[in-house]
Amino acid sequence: ARARTVGELLAPTSPFDKKCGRENWTVAFAPDGSYLAWSQGHRIVKLVPWAQCLNNFLLHGAKNGTNGVSARLPRQGSEGSQRSKPCEHIIDCGDIVWSLAFGSSVPEKQSRCVNIEWHRFKFGQDQLLLATGLNNGRIKIWDVYTGKLLLNLMDHTEVVRDLTFAPDGSLILVSASRDKTLRVWDLKDDGNMMKVLRGHPNWVYGCAFSPDSSILCSVGASKAVFLWDMDKYSMLRKLEGHHNDVVACEFSPDGALLATASYDTRVYVWDPHIGVILREFGHLFPAPTPIFAGGANDRWVRSVCFSHDGLHVASLADDKMVRFWRIDEEYPVQVAPLNNGLCCTFSTDGSVLAAGQDGSVYFWATPSQVSSLQHLCRMAIRRVMPTSQVKNLPIPCKVLEFLCYQI
């Protein structure tokens, strides 16, 4: 079935604008659903109120250019915006933007730093930050409401390829870089770098937190998927199974599953707690053998993400297709065409998929399908306990099988 188009945001172009450098490597939604951000190419990040964006799609149809009136913010920002009403912004980051991540603060989550009296920044309940990872290895932290540049983090020596905030509101930020490291930053401690995670033999492409912030997954230019204990900052395990570079990863909303995308033309859905592959989504039939897995570069998978309902996975590949999969079915339930797609992510409520390409963003409606009672029970019980505890419950074996994701 063909996925239903919701709309598109097209980047402004000029006759002399070269496509090189206009790649949209990342799209992100704010945790509260208030903003959408994406890299328009070169040095520019666009921030738009998501509710307003959806209303424009409904009023004017699918197409919507981004040449309208907006507040252009200089590199250092200003205090002119109103917090009460989300405003459209353009941020000049000073270098090519490779990664974006929104972070929101929960005051109860204190910094791990003991002495907090001298901190320059006091983050309140309504704080919303945008982290941008740049080509020169720097990470710039912006106040979304004002556009003010708050912090400039400068320890990486290569491209910052991905960024992710801990979902618990602690403002712990993890960055993945081509310098083969992951770095952990505490923004409530004025951006102090807490830890360097080493273990990747080559470039690190992506990272993702589990929903409870206890585990970090990282992937890169190797066939292994790395899992890290974020309480001890130590490696938990490596997941082996891909046959080429692994470029994207994301946990399911209940934390029980992990999706990874690779240049071997496959998306795997894992049980990360025992390291078992539960489902394989292939993008080339028949699937290439391991020795030829890197040669099918017109089928390389670029991005993967989990929907809010935990039932669907979206993937984006070099064969100019976006695919929606159900985790319990072998073939895609819906597809959509997209040339030169580089990244995709679901909206905060899971109703829309956004995909980036050449500075523009395209949107499709998520397939609306009723979850089974089994799937609802699996997700519900993991709201109160992790998978490891579910498997140790003193309940009949049949009930336990019903509550666990099976091969």
Side-chain angles (χ1 to χ4, degrees):
R2 181 78 171 263
R4 180 172 65 85
T5 300
V6 173
E8 56 190 43
L9 295 172
L10 304 178
T13 58
S14 67
F16 306 105
D17 191 11
K18 296 180 180 178
K19 277 197 171 184
C20 180
R22 283 190 57 228
E23 291 88 352
N24 178 358
W25 291 107
T26 181
V27 177
F29 287 93
D32 61 358
S34 58
Y35 275 96
L36 164 73
W38 76 98
S39 54
Q40 279 197 338
H42 306 297
R43 313 181 312 186
I44 303 301
V45 169
K46 188 70 176 285
L47 276 160
V48 296
W50 176 234
Q52 177 185 322
C53 193
L54 277 178
N55 288 336
N56 288 342
F57 291 152
L58 292 173
L59 290 173
H60 306 295
K63 291 194 176 182
N64 186 24
T66 58
N67 294 322
V69 177
S70 61
R72 175 173 287 277
L73 298 172
R75 295 183 193 179
Q76 297 301 318
S78 64
E79 298 286 351
S81 301
Q82 297 292 324
R83 288 188 177 224
S84 57
K85 184 179 180 182
C87 298
E88 185 176 309
H89 298 318
I90 294 176
I91 297 178
D92 185 344
C93 295
D95 203 347
I96 295 173
V97 181
W98 283 84
S99 50
L100 295 172
F102 281 99
S104 58
S105 173
V106 175
E108 294 77 34
K109 283 284 183 180
Q110 296 296 327
S111 167
R112 297 193 183 188
C113 175
V114 176
N115 180 15
I116 61 172
E117 297 300 323
W118 52 270
H119 283 168
R120 294 159 53 204
F121 301 109
K122 301 292 188 289
F123 295 111
Q125 181 69 51
D126 62 344
Q127 192 73 40
L128 184 60
L129 305 180
L130 179 69
T132 56
L134 306 181
N135 191 70
N136 58 12
R138 295 190 179 189
I139 302 167
K140 292 188 175 182
I141 311 296
W142 309 81
D143 184 315
V144 170
Y145 300 115
T146 66
K148 181 181 179 181
L149 178 62
L150 301 178
L151 294 166
N152 199 347
L153 313 178
M154 299 183 290
D155 281 277
H156 280 297
T157 57
E158 290 282 352
V159 171
V160 180
R161 191 61 187 84
D162 199 18
L163 295 165
T164 183
F165 276 96
D168 60 5
S170 61
L171 289 185
I172 298 297
L173 174 69
V174 175
S175 54
S177 172
R178 286 184 180 175
D179 64 12
K180 307 178 186 178
T181 67
L182 297 133
R183 295 176 190 258
V184 185
W185 315 82
D186 185 354
L187 298 194
K188 288 193 175 182
D189 188 15
D190 286 350
N192 178 51
M193 190 182 69
M194 302 162 59
K195 197 72 177 178
V196 180
L197 303 179
R198 304 181 189 275
H200 282 270
N202 291 299
W203 293 356
V204 189
Y205 285 134
C207 54
F209 269 103
S210 61
D212 64 0
S213 303
S214 65
I215 299 175
L216 179 80
C217 175
S218 64
V219 296
S222 65
K223 301 172 185 178
V225 177
F226 292 70
L227 295 178
W228 307 85
D229 183 330
M230 292 307 288
D231 291 323
K232 301 176 181 178
Y233 302 116
S234 60
M235 190 184 300
L236 279 173
R237 64 181 64 90
K238 290 183 185 180
L239 306 181
E240 305 280 355
H242 280 295
H243 306 301
N244 203 339
D245 293 359
V246 190
V247 294
C249 58
E250 187 163 279
F251 283 91
S252 61
D254 63 2
L257 303 175
L258 172 69
T260 57
S262 170
Y263 287 163
D264 65 9
T265 75
R266 298 168 172 91
V267 166
Y268 286 155
V269 178
W270 307 76
D271 182 332
H273 306 281
I274 58 176
V276 174
I277 299 171
L278 300 179
R279 177 70 67 185
E280 175 184 325
F281 298 134
H283 295 68
L284 179 63
F285 302 96
T289 58
I291 196 169
F292 294 112
N297 54 7
D298 60 339
R299 296 292 192 279
W300 283 0
V301 188
R302 294 282 178 179
S303 186
V304 66
C305 53
F306 255 105
S307 68
H308 184 71
D309 60 9
L311 187 64
H312 293 94
V313 173
S315 66
L316 191 156
D318 282 349
D319 62 356
K320 304 178 182 179
M321 296 294 288
V322 176
R323 292 172 173 84
F324 293 91
W325 313 78
R326 273 181 65 115
I327 60 171
D328 54 359
E329 294 184 12
E330 187 176 355
Y331 299 103
V333 293
Q334 288 186 9
V335 297
L338 180 67
N339 291 335
N340 303 322
L342 295 172
C343 60
C344 64
T345 188
F346 281 98
S347 59
T348 308
D349 64 0
S351 63
V352 173
L353 178 76
Q357 169 253 6
D358 287 343
S360 301
V361 191
Y362 299 84
F363 303 91
W364 297 272
T366 306
S368 54
Q369 297 178 314
V370 178
S371 300
S372 66
L373 177 62
Q374 182 182 31
H375 182 73
L376 294 173
C377 290
R378 286 169 172 171
M379 292 195 68
I381 196 168
R382 284 169 178 80
R383 291 177 183 170
V384 294
M385 63 178 64
T387 295
S388 56
Q389 293 182 21
V390 172
K391 293 183 177 180
N392 294 326
L393 287 173
I395 55 178
C397 292
K398 287 293 183 183
V399 179
L400 197 60
E401 288 179 12
F402 185 80
L403 294 174
C404 290
Y405 293 91
Q406 305 292 332
I407 298 176

